[in-house]
Amino acid sequence: MAQIGAFTIINPMEAAKYRGGNNLLSPPHQSSFSLPIGTANLFRSRSLTRIPSFPPATMSPRKNQPQSRRLQEAELFLSRMPQTRPLPHIFEINKALGVIAKSGKYSTALSHFNKLQLEEIELDLYTFNIAINCYCHVNRVGFGFSLLGGIFKRGYTPDVVTVNTLLNGLIAQDKTAEAVELFEKIVKKGEIKHNVYQYGSLINRLCKMGNTGAAISFLRIAGDGGLNPNTMTYSMIIDSHCKDRMVDDALNLFREMKEKGVHPDVFTYTSLIDGLCSCGRWKEATRMLGEMLDIDISPDIITFSVLVDALTKEGKGKEAEEIIESLIQRGVHPDVIMYNSLMNGYCSQGQMDEAMRVFNTMVDRGIQPVVHSYSILINGYCKTGHIDEALSLFHIVENKGLGLNVVMYNILIDAFCKNKDLDNARDLFIKLSSQGLQPDFITYDIMIRGLCKEGFLDEAKELLVKMEQNGLLPDSGTYNSIIYGFVGQQK
């Protein structure tokens, strides 16, 4: 193939190295790489004849149609197209093909695309981009690369959408080394211009996949090619490093960012504070918060939530409350999630009086508790042996109509079983189903263990059968409970 800009590195024959596994789809029709004779004349004559459109004029406006109706119309339009004369304009075809692709029916879209290549229609770059995107979504990025030949034959040049789609396809198939190599060659050639937002989306995807190393490679290649990273790009990688507990690497990148004149924002600082707190580096986290305030970046509710959650998990409830008070003084109102974190911290320390005090403070400040707020307290009371208080809160939730969930039932059933109060445990188990809730694996496992410990083996076996009938498979721990129950009975 002749050398054409950055894509001298790719040709249809190279696609084979990207293919893997069984072929789910046929590769593009090879004859599609030549333009049918007479196509130009056909297109010039179209302005004289009414062209069928998608969606059909008899249908309701597209924006008012449900997705299923639009999909049905698109498939019908493309199925009937070969019998339509004159053939529809490529713009109408692309609209229909796009509807099918956006609905997730990638194989169907590709089937129509392959049929289109046999028709006397001049497919454009947009058509090929749709097909490449579909191939990438069905993990056949190699076939996507093979379509580049068809693009060049028709006189088009791949654009940034084509390139990003192929790069995303390689990343999705865990071919990050090939993606990095391709990106580097494209940047060096400089004929397809990426901007920071376009390659930033690739970095974001790599970070979400936990592939921070490849994200750094993209960052370095972009920087060397004059595509200077911005705050968002740096922040995404810093956040990914922090999630991987590689806080020192995150701090190094943070320093580099500032040296290059890229200003950190609230997201950058929040990520670093979270990372430092998760590693127990409290003093550094406090200094980071101070630095943030010194340069007039106001912490948002997420920043404070991170601090409160981290402090409560370390048993530093009083320090967490000080954070909440400072938040209020700044005119930022704490939300129910923040109070839940604080209550959960006190509950995990067995400090139920403090947890209830926080709950009452939250209510007094006009913040309505949610079901999870009550679940935290009920769990705390059960773990400290105060089942009556837990049951009282359970009834409050029931009377308020907040919507009891299976988690709350499981907490109480477990507490009753551990307290050898199987009568109340059975009552709650039966009540759960009457409330329209379905027992989950944990519910059955708790009940079976409790019954076995108290010698109710026949009842435990009946419950085991019912569990399997409801599609919940017992694990080794469940079976061991029954086995130990029988062994103990024989003794």
Side-chain angles (χ1 to χ4, degrees):
M1 186 173 71
Q3 294 201 356
I4 308 177
F7 282 91
T8 52
I9 59 169
I10 307 167
N11 60 61
M13 297 301 293
E14 285 183 312
K17 76 176 182 178
Y18 297 110
R19 296 176 186 163
N22 297 323
N23 291 341
L24 299 177
L25 298 160
S26 298
H29 197 280
Q30 296 302 311
S31 65
S32 67
F33 293 158
S34 59
L35 196 62
I37 297 173
T39 301
N41 292 330
L42 177 65
F43 271 83
R44 279 198 294 270
S45 67
R46 283 191 181 155
S47 61
L48 304 176
T49 311
R50 182 179 178 276
I51 301 168
S53 63
F54 172 79
T58 56
M59 299 296 183
S60 56
R62 171 179 288 196
K63 66 181 181 179
N64 295 326
Q65 290 178 266
Q67 177 64 25
S68 58
R69 178 73 177 275
R70 294 200 299 271
L71 178 61
Q72 185 180 18
E73 287 177 11
E75 292 194 34
L76 185 63
F77 174 80
L78 291 174
S79 297
R80 289 179 176 176
M81 192 204 61
Q83 289 78 45
T84 304
R85 288 298 180 274
L87 290 167
H89 193 277
I90 189 60
F91 176 74
E92 304 296 338
I93 292 168
N94 286 344
K95 282 200 294 184
L97 201 62
V99 167
I100 296 170
K102 286 177 182 177
S103 71
K105 299 187 72 172
Y106 305 114
S107 298
T108 302
L110 287 168
S111 175
H112 284 296
F113 173 77
N114 288 332
K115 290 174 185 176
L116 285 172
Q117 294 184 95
L118 302 175
E119 299 295 330
E120 294 181 332
I121 295 176
E122 188 176 353
L123 306 181
D124 63 12
L125 181 60
Y126 189 83
T127 324
F128 278 95
N129 282 346
I130 291 172
I132 290 170
N133 185 48
C134 289
Y135 274 125
C136 289
H137 271 95
V138 295
N139 293 325
R140 290 295 179 265
V141 66
F143 293 160
F145 275 96
S146 71
L147 291 183
L148 292 173
I151 292 173
F152 291 131
K153 288 287 185 180
R154 284 164 171 78
Y156 299 117
T157 301
D159 61 8
V160 71
V161 175
T162 319
V163 173
N164 267 25
T165 303
L166 290 168
L167 287 169
N168 272 308
L170 290 170
I171 292 168
Q173 286 189 237
D174 201 23
K175 297 180 183 293
T176 49
E178 290 94 327
V180 170
E181 180 186 0
L182 174 59
F183 183 66
E184 185 173 22
K185 289 179 179 178
I186 289 168
V187 170
K188 282 182 178 178
K189 291 285 184 181
E191 293 188 11
I192 297 177
K193 298 295 182 184
H194 274 75
N195 62 38
V196 68
Y197 298 103
Q198 289 158 343
Y199 79 80
S201 67
L202 297 167
I203 288 176
N204 185 41
R205 178 165 188 165
L206 287 164
C207 289
K208 286 182 177 179
M209 293 170 64
N211 198 336
T212 316
I216 287 284
S217 297
F218 269 79
L219 182 77
R220 299 300 179 215
I221 291 165
D224 293 342
L227 299 170
N228 295 323
N230 62 6
T231 301
M232 178 186 69
T233 315
Y234 272 111
S235 296
M236 287 187 293
I237 301 178
I238 287 170
D239 184 62
S240 187
H241 272 317
C242 289
K243 284 183 170 62
D244 293 336
R245 299 179 70 83
M246 298 173 66
V247 181
D248 288 330
D249 290 335
L251 289 169
N252 289 335
L253 200 59
F254 177 68
R255 282 189 284 270
E256 175 191 311
M257 173 185 185
K258 292 193 292 184
E259 287 168 3
K260 291 188 175 182
V262 181
H263 300 293
D265 61 10
V266 65
F267 177 69
T268 321
Y269 279 103
T270 300
S271 298
L272 286 166
I273 290 169
D274 187 27
L276 290 166
C277 287
S278 66
C279 293
R281 294 161 68 168
W282 303 105
K283 289 183 180 179
E284 290 174 85
T286 304
R287 281 200 300 271
M288 193 64 68
L289 179 63
E291 178 183 322
M292 185 179 181
L293 295 170
D294 288 341
I295 58 174
D296 293 328
I297 296 178
S298 297
D300 60 13
I301 196 163
I302 298 173
T303 316
F304 283 106
S305 294
V306 164
L307 283 166
V308 169
D309 187 58
L311 287 166
T312 53
K313 284 178 179 175
E314 291 294 317
K316 300 178 183 291
K318 293 301 178 185
E319 291 88 337
E321 286 199 65
E322 289 174 8
I323 293 288
I324 290 178
E325 292 306 315
S326 67
L327 180 62
I328 293 169
Q329 289 170 12
R330 290 177 174 276
V332 181
H333 299 288
D335 59 8
V336 68
I337 297 172
M338 198 176 296
Y339 280 108
N340 283 347
S341 295
L342 189 53
M343 285 190 295
N344 192 48
Y346 281 126
C347 287
S348 64
Q349 299 292 316
Q351 299 179 45
M352 294 309 301
D353 289 341
E354 292 297 312
M356 278 305 302
R357 180 181 57 78
V358 171
F359 178 86
N360 291 328
T361 300
M362 176 178 72
V363 173
D364 290 342
R365 287 175 173 170
I367 299 171
Q368 292 300 314
V370 295
V371 173
H372 184 56
S373 311
Y374 288 100
S375 294
I376 290 168
L377 293 171
I378 289 170
N379 187 49
Y381 275 125
C382 287
K383 286 188 173 178
T384 54
H386 298 89
I387 300 177
D388 290 339
E389 287 86 345
L391 197 57
S392 177
L393 281 173
F394 179 85
H395 291 316
I396 288 173
V397 177
E398 192 174 29
N399 294 333
K400 284 179 175 287
L402 292 177
L404 295 167
N405 56 34
V406 70
V407 174
M408 208 172 284
Y409 276 97
N410 288 346
I411 292 168
L412 279 169
I413 291 170
D414 184 52
F416 281 126
C417 285
K418 286 177 179 175
N419 205 38
K420 300 183 180 181
D421 187 353
L422 291 179
D423 289 337
N424 274 317
R426 289 189 189 97
D427 289 343
L428 278 175
F429 184 83
I430 295 167
K431 188 176 181 180
L432 186 152
S433 300
S434 69
Q435 295 292 324
L437 297 171
Q438 292 297 321
D440 60 11
F441 169 82
I442 296 172
T443 322
Y444 279 107
D445 190 62
I446 290 168
M447 281 298 301
I448 289 169
R449 289 172 186 266
L451 290 166
C452 288
K453 282 182 180 178
E454 297 304 308
F456 295 95
L457 299 178
D458 291 338
E459 191 177 346
K461 284 193 295 180
E462 288 175 10
L463 211 54
L464 183 69
V465 171
K466 188 175 180 181
M467 179 182 183
E468 292 173 335
Q469 288 173 345
N470 287 335
L472 299 169
L473 298 178
D475 64 4
S476 58
T478 315
Y479 286 116
N480 284 341
S481 296
I482 294 177
I483 292 168
Y484 292 144
F486 276 107
V487 171
Q489 197 176 61
Q490 290 176 355
K491 288 181 179 179

